[in-house]
Amino acid sequence: MNSISAIPIRRALLSVSDKTGIVDFARALADLGVEILSTGGTANLLSANGISVIEVADYTGFPEMMDGRLKTLHPRIHGGLLGRRGEDDTAMVAHDIPPIDLLAVNLYPFAATIAKPNCALADAIENIDIGGPAMLRAAAKNHAAVTVVTDAGDYDRVLAEMRAGNGAVCQATRFDLAIKVFEHTAQYDGAIANYLGSIRAEGERDPFPRSYSAQFRKVQDMRYGENPHQGAAFYVEPKPAEACIATARQLQGKELSYNNVADTDAALECVKGFATPACVIVKHANPCGVAVGTTILEAYNRAYQTDPTSAFGGIIAFNRPLNAATAKAIVDRQFVEVIIAPEVMPDALAVTASKQNVRVLACGQWGAERIAGWDYKRVTGGLLVQDRDLGQVARSDLKIVTQRQPSEAELADLLFMWQVVKFVKSNAIVFGRDGMTLGIGAGQMSRVYSARIAAIKAADEKLDLKGSVMASDAFFPFRDGVDIAAEYGVMAVIQPGGSMRDSEVIAAADEHGMTMVFTGMRHFRH
C-alpha cells in the first residue's frame, strides 16, 4: 500500500449535489484553518452561512460555462489532487498548482432521476456527472496524500481524526475512503450503462440492457458455503426495496450459515404471501409445513403438524411479531435453526435466550404490495436474469373446468395451497385443507411421484386427506396424478392447465366427482 507520512489538511475542495451536513462540515474545516474551495450551489450555500470560500472559477482563472458542464476540469484542480507529494513538487510549483488535501464530492442524482415516471432521455443525460467522478477518481488514486469523502456519513469521522491528529487523517482511513470512492463511481457508471444500454435504436426501452452491472455490499464472511469445502460470503443490495433477509437484524444466536440464509429467504418470502397470521417452516429450501390461524401460535402449531420430522432443524418464519407464547412453544418442542419475524417482542427474546444457539431475526415490516425486481441464477460462464415471480391469482381469475363447482371452503383452500406450491421446488404437489398443509411433495422428476410422496408424508403423520385439496405448480401431463389424489380422498384440484391432455385430466376429475380449477399461470421453481 502506497504510504507517506500524514500531513495536515490545509486546502479542501467541496462540491456536492446532496448538501446534507455540508455546512457543518465546512464550518468545522474552516475552524481548523483549512482553506475552502467550492463551486456553484455549494459555494453559494457556504457563503450564505458565513463561511469563507473561494470559488473554483476564481481559483483557476477560468469561468464556469456551458450551464455548469465545465467548471472543475482544469489542471489547477486535477494537478492539486493528483500531484504526488515529494515527487511532483517541482512541476506543481512551476505551474502554480497548490496541493488540494481534501475533496468532498457527491454526484448528480442519476439513479433518482431515471426512477421518476416518464423520465426523458435528455433529463437523464444532463444528470450524468462528469467533473465529479473525474475529481473523485483523481483524489482516490492519490489517497496516499489526499483524503476523499463521498458519503456525508464520513464527515464526522474525518473531523475527529483531524482534531486528534493535528489536522491530518491517517493512511488507513484515507485508503478506506478511496475504496468507497471506487465502489461509488462503479455503481454510478453501472447505473448509467444499464439505463442507456436498455434503450433501443428506435427509442423504446428493453427490459433487459445489453450489458448488466450490479453492485452488492458484503455484510458477512461465512465459515463455509453450501458445503464445508466451499468458501462463502453474504452480500446485500445497497438499498433493499422491501423487508427481507437482507434487512434482517440478528438478535441472538450463532452466526448465520450459507444454508441458513438461503432457507430463511425461502421461508420469509413464502410467509409474506399471507394476510392472516401465518407460519412457514422450511427445510432444505422447501416448505415442510405452512398454515394460517387466528394467532401465530395457532398457525405454528398447525404448520408443525404437517411434518414434524422434517421440521427438526428447520427455519420458521412468521408474518406477525414473534411473541413469548409462540417462542416458548417452539423452543419447548423442537430444535430450530432460525426464527424470523417482522419484529420480535422483548418477552419472546427472553424466552429464546434459554436456547442461545437459536438464531432469532427481525427483518422489519413489509408492505401490502410486493416490490418488482429481478431474480438471478448463476450458470457456468453466465447469468440467467428474470423478473421475480410475483404472479398472483384471485378467485375471478380461476377457470372452473369440471362439472362440479367448488364450494366456498374449497375455493379458499385452493387459493391457499396455490400460494404454498409456488414456493415448493418443482415438480411440486401440495395437499391441504382448512388453511393448513397436509402433505408436500417436492423436487421430483415425475409429478406423479411428487403426489405419492405428499400422500405418504400425510399418512406418516396420520393426517386424513379425505375432503382435502391438491395444488400442482404446473399442468398434469397425464391423468395419473389426479387418479392418485382421488385414491386418498382429495376432492378439489388447482393447476395451471395447458397440457395437450387437459381433456383427459378433466375427465378423470369428473369421474372421481372432483372439482378442478385452472389458473392459467405456472409456478416452476428450480
Side-chain angles (χ1 to χ4, degrees):
M1 187 185 300
N2 187 20
S3 177
I4 63 174
S5 300
I7 55 177
I9 292 171
R10 295 289 180 243
R11 183 174 295 103
L13 195 164
L14 313 182
S15 180
V16 293
S17 175
D18 177 2
K19 295 176 174 54
T20 303
I22 194 62
V23 172
D24 291 340
F25 184 53
R27 181 173 287 114
L29 290 174
D31 289 346
L32 290 167
V34 177
E35 178 183 87
I36 296 175
L37 315 177
S38 192
T39 63
T42 306
N44 292 337
L45 176 65
L46 300 184
S47 295
N49 280 273
I51 299 168
S52 178
V53 60
I54 300 173
E55 281 267 11
V56 162
D58 295 332
Y59 183 75
T60 62
F62 201 88
E64 182 177 317
M65 61 176 61
M66 301 178 188
D67 295 325
R69 282 191 170 202
L70 192 62
K71 50 190 173 186
T72 59
L73 296 171
H74 190 281
R76 207 165 191 234
I77 298 299
H78 285 270
L81 294 171
L82 281 168
R84 292 163 294 183
R85 312 310 192 248
E87 293 186 49
D88 297 322
D89 296 356
T90 300
M92 293 174 75
V93 170
H95 295 282
D96 189 24
I97 300 176
I100 298 173
D101 309 305
L102 184 148
L103 176 73
V105 167
N106 54 56
L107 306 177
Y108 294 167
F110 181 82
T113 298
I114 63 173
K116 295 176 182 176
N118 304 315
C119 170
L121 177 60
D123 291 335
I125 294 295
E126 284 307 309
N127 276 279
I128 297 176
D129 203 324
I130 301 301
M135 289 191 293
L136 285 172
R137 290 174 63 85
K141 178 175 181 176
N142 199 26
H143 65 270
V146 180
T147 300
V148 56
V149 187
T150 190
D151 179 355
D154 288 316
Y155 292 163
D156 287 345
R157 172 187 179 189
V158 168
L159 290 171
E161 285 204 24
M162 289 179 66
R163 290 173 180 131
N166 295 317
V169 173
C170 75
Q171 166 67 11
T173 297
R174 296 197 306 272
F175 184 66
D176 180 58
L177 293 173
I179 294 171
K180 289 186 73 169
V181 163
F182 289 117
E183 290 169 341
H184 182 56
T185 56
Q187 183 182 20
Y188 192 80
D189 287 340
I192 295 168
N194 288 346
Y195 175 77
L196 296 180
S198 70
I199 299 175
R200 298 172 178 154
E202 59 272 22
E204 295 180 359
R205 294 292 302 277
D206 189 325
F208 300 99
R210 69 185 196 183
S211 65
Y212 178 58
S213 299
Q215 188 176 90
F216 297 84
R217 176 175 56 88
K218 186 168 72 172
V219 294
Q220 181 186 341
D221 286 305
M222 294 172 160
R223 286 190 302 153
Y224 53 82
E226 202 162 10
N227 299 292
H229 62 276
Q230 296 172 270
F234 182 30
Y235 290 80
V236 303
E237 296 172 351
K239 295 179 180 179
E242 66 179 76
C244 57
I245 182 61
T247 66
R249 296 172 290 115
Q250 184 168 352
L251 305 179
Q252 75 156 58
K254 295 191 298 184
E255 185 179 77
L256 287 164
S257 72
Y258 180 99
N259 293 328
N260 288 155
V261 171
D263 287 352
T264 303
D265 176 63
L268 183 60
E269 293 308 303
C270 182
V271 86
K272 285 180 181 180
F274 302 102
T276 54
C279 173
V280 174
I281 306 176
V282 159
K283 189 72 168 288
H284 293 302
N286 280 300
C288 58
V290 182
V292 293
T294 56
T295 65
I296 60 167
L297 175 57
E298 181 186 6
Y300 163 67
N301 286 332
R302 302 181 79 220
Y304 181 82
Q305 289 178 50
T306 302
D307 190 353
T309 302
S310 297
F312 179 86
I315 311 293
I316 303 176
F318 297 100
N319 63 353
R320 297 287 192 278
L322 179 66
N323 55 47
T326 307
K328 186 175 190 307
I330 294 170
V331 299
D332 286 351
R333 173 183 285 160
Q334 68 168 106
F335 167 59
V336 58
E337 288 276 357
V338 180
I339 304 172
I340 187 167
E343 295 296 337
V344 178
M345 308 303 290
D347 56 355
L349 205 56
V351 171
T352 58
S354 65
K355 304 285 186 180
Q356 275 298 308
N357 286 338
V358 175
R359 303 159 180 90
V360 180
L361 309 180
C363 65
Q365 186 60 57
W366 51 89
E369 297 295 324
R370 305 303 306 282
I371 307 299
W374 284 351
D375 275 336
Y376 312 96
K377 183 181 288 291
R378 188 76 167 91
V379 297
T380 303
L383 182 73
L384 289 169
V385 181
Q386 66 174 351
D387 294 326
R388 293 178 67 194
D389 185 2
L390 300 179
Q392 299 284 340
V393 296
R395 289 194 183 195
S396 58
D397 299 316
L398 301 179
K399 180 182 178 182
I400 302 167
V401 295
T402 47
Q403 296 172 12
R404 187 170 77 79
Q405 301 289 302
S407 67
E408 285 298 309
E410 285 174 328
L411 278 172
D413 278 333
L414 288 168
L415 288 170
F416 176 87
M417 302 310 154
W418 184 248
Q419 181 63 36
V420 175
V421 80
K422 172 180 173 180
F423 290 92
V424 180
K425 298 287 187 179
S426 302
N427 288 307
I429 294 290
V430 176
F431 294 141
R433 183 179 55 243
D434 299 328
M436 167 186 165
T437 53
L438 299 174
I440 299 174
Q444 298 304 301
M445 291 69 76
S446 165
R447 190 161 301 279
V448 69
Y449 275 92
S450 288
R452 290 188 186 279
I453 289 171
I456 290 169
K457 286 179 170 287
D460 284 350
E461 303 306 330
K462 298 180 173 53
L463 297 173
D464 189 356
L465 293 179
K466 290 180 180 177
S468 66
V469 309
M470 174 174 69
S472 173
D473 65 331
F475 64 65
F476 288 97
F478 304 98
R479 62 173 287 164
D480 50 4
V482 174
D483 291 332
I484 286 173
E487 290 177 16
Y488 294 99
V490 172
M491 293 303 297
V493 180
I494 186 169
Q495 59 134 324
S499 167
M500 293 177 60
R501 295 183 176 84
D502 272 350
S503 59
E504 297 175 20
V505 174
I506 293 168
D510 282 333
E511 289 174 22
H512 297 299
M514 303 165 76
T515 184
M516 180 179 289
V517 299
F518 284 1
T519 65
M521 180 182 293
R522 190 181 72 185
H523 282 306
F524 269 169
R525 187 175 178 88
H526 294 105

